Structure formats: C-alpha cells, structure tokens
Amino acid sequence: MKPDRIFEKAARSLAKRTSRRSLLASLGQLLTGAALLPLLPIDRTARAQSPSSPVAKPTADEQNCEYWKYCAIDGFLCACCGGTSTSCPPGTQSSPITWIGTCHNPGDGRDYIVSYNDCCGKSSCGRCLCNRNEGDRPLYRPQAANDYNWCVGSKANIPYHCTVSRIVGIAEKKA
C-alpha cells in the first residue's frame, strides 16, 4: 500500500470516530494544561540543604529585619523563634517548597540566590515580623512570590511558625 493511501485511510478512520467539537475540546484542554504548568509549586529542598557554591559569612545581626539576606522575606524570623536564620526551631519542620530571592551582600559586594523556607508545625511565632518584598512577583509566579502559606506543601498541611533563609548559590551577572 502506498503511503498516501495509508494516510488517507487513517485520516478517514479518525474523522469517522471524532467530531470537530471533540477535537477543539481536546485542544482546549491541552492548552489550558500547558498554561497552568508554571503555577505548580517547585521543590528546592535539595539545593537549599546543600549549597554547591561558597556561602557568604554572616555580616550582621540575624535577628534584624534589615539583615541583607532577608531582602525578599515575608514572615517571622526563625532566628527570633528558637532557630537560626538557616535552621528551623525544634518541633518544627521545613516546608519542602520554597520561594527565592536575589539579595546583595554589602560585606563582599556579591549577589546571592536565597531560598526562603517556612518552618511548620507550631502556631505562628509572633516575634520579629519581617516583610521585605524586594523582587516579589505576582502570585501566578509562585517560585518568586512570598505571599503563599508554603506549609501547605508539608506532609500534614500543618500551621506556619517562622521562616528561614538559606543561600543556595551566587547570582551570575548578565552579560
């Protein structure tokens, strides 16, 4: 059988089994699914736990909202709640999903990529509220939006307690 005949037979068979409406409906579902793909949360725990590049040394008080590493934070500082700026307090666990920011360290003049993780498991700490929104993006760009309750990504959907900030790398300058 010639390739043209095979294609014609397949096209006619498909036309008998489907309608234009079902084809348009399937195409619409495919386009909607593709448009919603960027809205899915991103799991960055592996990079947040073990940075592959050199990490900047602290240059200021980690309980101060003006600390350079908190440029895109929104929440209570874990350094004021029994933890540190990089580790959750006892009795809480780090959310597996996170948002990121790029912060400038005035101590060494470099820009760093910072991952912000919510610590979940106890009620809100209530101390050292810090809401700096440098580089914050709209909610439809969740990887760079800080207005979510990221504890919904944890196993038991447990309450928010505080937020940590972990350096995951050095930001590269655009050429």
Side-chain angles (χ1 to χ4, degrees):
M1 222 181 205
K2 293 183 180 180
D4 287 340
R5 288 255 189 214
I6 294 171
F7 182 76
E8 179 185 358
K9 192 172 185 177
R12 288 184 185 276
S13 174
L14 179 66
K16 287 179 185 175
R17 289 181 281 126
T18 60
S19 67
R20 286 186 203 128
R21 276 190 190 165
S22 67
L23 179 66
L24 289 175
S26 297
L27 184 62
Q29 289 174 343
L30 180 70
L31 291 175
T32 302
L36 293 176
L37 193 61
L39 296 177
L40 295 174
I42 299 169
D43 184 1
R44 292 188 181 91
T45 18
R47 287 185 63 200
Q49 299 298 334
S50 58
S52 59
S53 55
V55 176
K57 301 283 188 256
T59 59
D61 181 15
E62 293 183 351
Q63 293 186 358
N64 183 346
C65 188
E66 297 305 313
Y67 182 47
W68 70 268
K69 199 169 63 163
Y70 299 145
C71 72
I73 201 165
D74 182 4
F76 301 110
L77 303 178
C78 283
C80 297
C81 301
T84 67
S85 72
T86 58
S87 64
C88 292
T92 64
Q93 66 184 38
S94 181
S95 174
I97 51 179
T98 174
W99 73 96
I100 59 169
T102 303
C103 302
H104 180 75
N105 181 353
D108 64 5
R110 300 178 92 173
D111 292 335
Y112 291 88
I113 300 169
V114 182
S115 170
Y116 298 97
N117 290 74
D118 285 346
C119 295
C120 315
K122 295 181 180 179
S123 61
S124 290
C125 167
R127 293 191 301 273
C128 299
L129 176 62
C130 189
N131 187 12
R132 295 176 60 189
N133 295 312
E134 298 167 30
D136 187 28
R137 297 288 182 251
L139 293 176
Y140 59 80
R141 296 259 331 263
Q143 67 275 16
N146 65 12
D147 290 330
Y148 283 102
N149 175 6
W150 293 101
C151 288
V152 297
S154 60
K155 292 178 181 143
N157 194 13
I158 47 185
Y160 165 79
H161 184 65
C162 61
T163 304
V164 296
S165 60
R166 298 177 177 123
I167 298 172
V168 294
I170 298 172
E172 296 179 8
K173 299 286 183 194
K174 290 183 180 177

